Amino acid sequence: MGLVGILVGLAVLMWLSFRGWSVLVLAPIGALIAAAFGVQPLLSHWTITFMNSAAGFIAQFFPLFLLGAVFGKLMDDSGGVAAIARFMTATLGPKRAILAVVFAGAFVTYGGVSLFVAFFVLVPMGQALFRAGNIPNRLLPAAVMLGTSTFTMSALPGSPAIQNAIPMPFFGTTPLAAPGLGIIAAIVMLGFGLWWLGRAEARARRAGEGFGPTPMGAERVADSPETRGAATIASEFDPAEIREGKDAIDPPSPLVAATPLIVVVATNLLMSIVVLPRLDLERIAHLRFEPEAVGAVSGVWSVLVALTFGIVVLVALNHRRLRSFRASVDAGANASVLPVLSVASLVGFGAVVAAMPAFDVVREWVLGIGGGPLVSLALATNILAALTGSASGGLTIALDALGSTYLQIAAAIGMDPSLLHRVAVIGAGTLDSLPHNGAVVTLLAVCGCTHKESYFHLAMVAIVGAIVALGVVILLGNQFGSF
């Protein structure tokens, strides 16, 4: 009955979240269902197991959610994201509209801009470019998703995405984990996605299909309760805050707009390669903190420092353009709260499920999958990301339940934990893009497209391309180890 309870709890979570219910309510309900079927103490699991795990996630990662959302909002209100998007579209032009949208999305998200900030800026510009190039609007969601939510989120080393940070406390790694394999995976994802979209564009031109009717604007999407509920488990930015603050009247030049992003990337690399390896973590721990606690969070420090420096540089370069600085900061801070609580609730749900005696059956099944630990880890993160509709939520649940076990296996066979890190992140970024995923739902709404019109192409670039890259990384990792 315990295993049935786990499945019923998951089913309730999936079904009602897809229908727009808040995960803040659904996660504890699903956890209590699993505990009830397992004949476990309900209040103890809710107030201790669930809440301790959720609080631990917030303690580790809320600073990243906070700084990431503030940085994204300041980039938006300063006009920086729009300036970069305009530069890309002007440089590549309507004939390379898909490439322009992909590169613009990749540049801003790899530089630390929140996913939904990028959506609300890139889509209107992408539609103008697609209209000028007479490319079907139904292909725009796939182009935006390829640039913002694939290789820059899970593959490129040094990515400030929350998904790339989550494995660090579990494996003692840095954002640069397995950089060679990450770059190869990014090339595979980007190459496959551009090939597929180019093929789709050529087929549309042969059929005489153009941009199509002008879609409804994205103005009401940010205010939609259904969209907001789905979106908050897919990114660190609550779309309800996107309209707060004031836009810049005089947008920055492309160089000024790009400088904070470059600072974030450069500082992240410098911290990971030079600063963190030279820190005396034992001395820091002896001051007051537990050595294990310091080691677990030290990998997150590089991203925090990078985002902090990025914010400082952004404000210094754009203080006159930020017409309501306090409102922008407040909006960014507020935008981080609901997402971190939503993902933390999913983590609490996973902790209760993992505490059920029946979960031993699941654990044994996962660890018994053929192909070695990389294959089973990839499948575990894939399945949980698919079930929760959240790469960050599924990844944290998987590592909470199985991370220490995989670390022990890696130590026993001499495997570099960096390889586990990269496989886990790429694995979480595949089946998370199923139709109920918050990013998918929001992006389609912003583009004025339906699942029927656009989801197939979006799934090809976001799921199939990522699975191909994951397979390549596992093959190379098993053959050559981490590099």
Side-chain angles (χ1 to χ4, degrees), residues 71 86 110 122 162 173 190 197 240 249 272 282 393 432:
F71 180 71
R86 278 195 296 269
Y110 187 60
L122 289 174
I162 187 67
T173 49
L190 177 60
L197 290 175
I249 297 176
S272 299
E282 291 187 2
D432 72 310

Coordinates of all heavy atoms in Angstrom, one line a residue, residues 71 86 110 122 162 173 190 197 240 249 272 282 393 432:
F71 N 18.7 40.9 -10.2 CA 19.5 41.2 -11.4 C 18.7 41.2 -12.7 O 18.8 42.1 -13.5 CB 20.7 40.2 -11.5 CG 21.6 40.4 -12.7 CD1 22.5 41.4 -12.7 CD2 21.6 39.5 -13.8 CE1 23.3 41.6 -13.8 CE2 22.4 39.7 -14.8 CZ 23.3 40.8 -14.8
R86 N 17.7 43.8 -29.5 CA 17.7 44.7 -30.7 C 19.0 44.6 -31.5 O 19.0 44.5 -32.7 CB 17.4 46.1 -30.3 CG 16.0 46.5 -30.1 CD 15.7 48.0 -30.1 NE 16.4 48.6 -29.0 CZ 15.9 48.8 -27.8 NH1 14.6 48.4 -27.6 NH2 16.6 49.4 -26.8
Y110 N 22.6 33.1 -20.1 CA 23.9 32.7 -19.6 C 24.6 33.8 -18.8 O 25.4 33.5 -17.9 CB 24.9 32.3 -20.8 CG 26.2 31.7 -20.4 CD1 26.2 30.5 -19.6 CD2 27.4 32.3 -20.7 CE1 27.4 29.9 -19.2 CE2 28.6 31.7 -20.3 CZ 28.6 30.6 -19.6 OH 29.8 30.0 -19.2
L122 N 12.1 39.1 -25.2 CA 12.5 38.5 -26.5 C 11.3 38.2 -27.4 O 11.4 38.4 -28.6 CB 13.2 37.2 -26.2 CG 14.6 37.3 -25.6 CD1 15.2 35.9 -25.3 CD2 15.6 38.0 -26.6
I162 N 19.9 28.3 -11.6 CA 19.7 27.6 -10.3 C 19.9 26.1 -10.5 O 20.4 25.4 -9.6 CB 18.3 27.9 -9.7 CG1 18.2 27.3 -8.3 CG2 17.2 27.4 -10.6 CD1 19.1 28.0 -7.3
T173 N 30.8 20.2 -5.7 CA 31.4 20.6 -7.0 C 31.2 22.1 -7.2 O 30.8 22.8 -6.2 CB 30.6 19.9 -8.2 OG1 29.2 20.0 -7.9 CG2 31.0 18.5 -8.2
L190 N 22.6 22.9 -29.2 CA 22.5 24.0 -30.1 C 22.4 23.5 -31.6 O 21.6 24.0 -32.4 CB 23.6 25.0 -29.9 CG 23.7 26.2 -30.8 CD1 22.4 27.0 -30.7 CD2 24.9 27.1 -30.5
L197 N 15.1 23.5 -36.5 CA 14.3 24.7 -36.8 C 14.5 25.2 -38.2 O 13.6 25.7 -38.9 CB 14.6 25.8 -35.8 CG 14.1 25.6 -34.4 CD1 14.6 26.7 -33.4 CD2 12.6 25.5 -34.3
A240 N 4.3 37.8 -12.1 CA 3.4 38.9 -11.7 C 4.1 40.2 -11.4 O 3.5 41.2 -11.4 CB 2.6 38.4 -10.5
I249 N 13.8 55.3 -20.4 CA 13.4 56.1 -21.6 C 14.5 56.1 -22.6 O 14.3 56.0 -23.8 CB 13.1 57.5 -21.1 CG1 11.9 57.5 -20.2 CG2 12.8 58.4 -22.4 CD1 11.6 58.9 -19.6
S272 N 35.4 30.3 -9.4 CA 35.4 28.9 -9.5 C 36.9 28.3 -9.7 O 37.3 27.3 -9.2 CB 34.5 28.3 -10.6 OG 33.2 28.7 -10.4
E282 N 38.8 25.2 6.0 CA 38.9 24.6 7.3 C 39.0 25.8 8.3 O 38.4 25.8 9.4 CB 40.1 23.7 7.5 CG 40.0 22.4 6.7 CD 41.1 21.5 7.0 OE1 42.0 21.8 7.8 OE2 41.1 20.4 6.4
G393 N 13.0 21.4 -9.1 CA 12.3 20.5 -8.1 C 12.6 19.1 -8.3 O 13.0 18.4 -7.3
D432 N 11.6 17.7 -18.2 CA 10.9 18.8 -17.5 C 10.1 19.7 -18.5 O 9.2 20.4 -18.1 CB 11.9 19.7 -16.8 CG 12.7 20.6 -17.7 OD1 13.3 20.0 -18.7 OD2 12.8 21.8 -17.5

